Amino acid sequence: MPPNNADAALLNLDACSREHLPSKRLVPERAQLESPGAMLLLTRLGPLDVLGTIAAGRQYHELMDRSRTIELADAPHSPSWVCPP
C-alpha cells in the first residue's frame, strides 16, 4: 500500500508506541492506523493519542461535517519527550 498523509506525518514526527517504552521502540503500522482501536504514541513533540473511533463508535468520515479547522501557525512548542533511537 502506498504511504498516505498519516504515514508521512507519523514518520516526520518520529512516532513510536509509548506502551512498550523504554524496552522496545515500535513504529506504528498502516493496519494499526486503520483499526478502530486506540494507539498511544510518543513523538518528538510529545504524546499523541490516535483514536480509530470516537463519539459512540463513529469514524472520522462520519464526523467530518461536524468538524472545524483550527490554524496553529506560530504555535510555540518545546518537546520534552523524545522516542529513543
Side-chain angles (χ1 to χ4, degrees):
M1 220 180 267
N4 63 21
N5 290 342
D7 294 327
L10 293 176
L11 183 62
N12 186 352
L13 292 170
D14 298 322
C16 65
S17 172
R18 68 178 188 254
E19 296 177 81
H20 302 284
L21 291 175
S23 61
K24 293 181 184 177
R25 185 183 190 283
L26 300 177
V27 176
E29 296 180 1
R30 171 68 67 90
Q32 293 169 306
L33 292 173
E34 295 175 345
S35 75
M39 292 176 46
L40 305 178
L41 303 175
L42 191 57
T43 75
R44 62 183 171 82
L45 299 178
L48 173 65
D49 296 348
V50 178
L51 305 176
T53 57
I54 57 173
R58 295 187 201 144
Q59 295 184 354
Y60 178 80
H61 67 274
E62 297 172 287
L63 298 171
M64 279 298 297
D65 291 338
R66 300 174 66 186
S67 67
R68 61 188 169 115
T69 301
I70 300 173
E71 193 69 37
L72 295 178
D74 301 324
H77 65 277
S78 57
S80 58
W81 299 69
V82 178
C83 285

